[in-house]
Amino acid sequence: MVLWVTAAGSGRAAELSHVWVDEFSEAERAMLVRWTEEAAAGVEALVGSFPMDVEVHYHRRDGAREPVPWANTRRGRVQGVHFHVDPGFPPSAFRRDWTAPHEFAHLVLPYVGRQHAWFAEGFASFMQYRVMTAMGVLSEEAAAARLRGRLARAARDYDYPDRPFTDAAARLRAQGRYPVMYWGGAAYFLQVDEALRSRGSDLIAVLRAYTACCRRSRARLEDLIAELDGLSGGSVFSAALTRFRSEPGFPAVPAAGEAAGRD
Ligand SMILES: [Zn+2]
């Protein structure tokens, strides 16, 4: 694929710049830089180099119950990720945590606005275990099993059988029921991936082309969908969006896991 050659030819991985918001020792900084650079490289191994530099901000959260109790992306002129971390956890605990793969995956697509949070979160959730597989942290089987488990739980917890998912998503967010919104959104990307595979392509191939040619900081969801349809030479993305906006109940999950576990 021509676009892939362009991406490979450009050669260089995105530059991460590290911003220490709170105080960290030299050893802690070295450990945290290795952690975020490995996660960013895991995303780039799948979709190619980010066409922009990324600022990584580190906030200290001593005494937390997990290595990364909070994180979020900032999608301004500079694309950034803020990590709130407890550096008391060992490097292995950071590597096994899904947060950094999830946050860096967000940066593959432009910011499409708060009202489409289900789309952005669904995408990062769909990607996170694949990135962990690319990092060598999860086997393909383990990644597929986790994905299946999250989707099954979200489907069980979805209690808007009469509403299309995009309609329910805003309520789920308002109620703080994030896992249902995130994993319902992930089903969109499973559906798209499955449909692309039946045409001899897959979602990662389209993302690779998108990263190489078209990535921007912000986009209207409809414009992004049209762009992805264009790159894939069909209407898989817009057709899935139409289903998400019209079909009531939790989104169908095609062969959950099998599709996600491949490649
Ligand atoms: Zn997220």
Side-chain angles (χ1 to χ4, degrees), residues 39-61:
V43 175
E44 293 190 318
L46 293 173
V47 305
S49 299
F50 288 127
M52 72 283 177
D53 292 339
V54 176
E55 261 183 23
V56 185
H57 298 250
Y58 301 87
H59 307 254
R60 211 178 166 100
R61 285 275 189 99

Side-chain angles (χ1 to χ4, degrees), residues 102-103 106 121 124 182:
H102 176 103
E103 297 302 329
H106 269 304
E121 296 304 343
Y182 281 36

Side-chain angles (χ1 to χ4, degrees), residues 227-241:
E227 223 161 7
L228 294 171
D229 269 347
L231 287 170
S232 62
S235 55
V236 161
F237 291 88
S238 50
L241 185 60

Side-chain angles (χ1 to χ4, degrees), residues 71-73 98-99 102-103 106 117 120-122 124-125 128 182:
N72 63 288
T73 52
W98 57 265
T99 313
H102 176 103
E103 297 302 329
H106 269 304
E121 296 304 343
S125 301
Q128 68 194 35
Y182 281 36

Side-chain angles (χ1 to χ4, degrees), residues 165-211:
F165 183 75
T166 53
D167 190 0
R171 289 161 188 259
L172 292 167
R173 198 184 65 192
Q175 295 164 344
R177 296 169 64 203
Y178 299 111
V180 184
M181 181 186 89
Y182 281 36
W183 293 103
Y188 173 87
F189 295 92
L190 268 166
Q191 289 186 9
V192 163
D193 192 41
E194 184 70 8
L196 291 169
R197 281 171 191 271
S198 73
R199 301 154 42 109
S201 177
D202 65 15
L203 178 60
I204 293 291
V206 177
L207 293 172
R208 213 180 281 145
Y210 178 77
T211 304

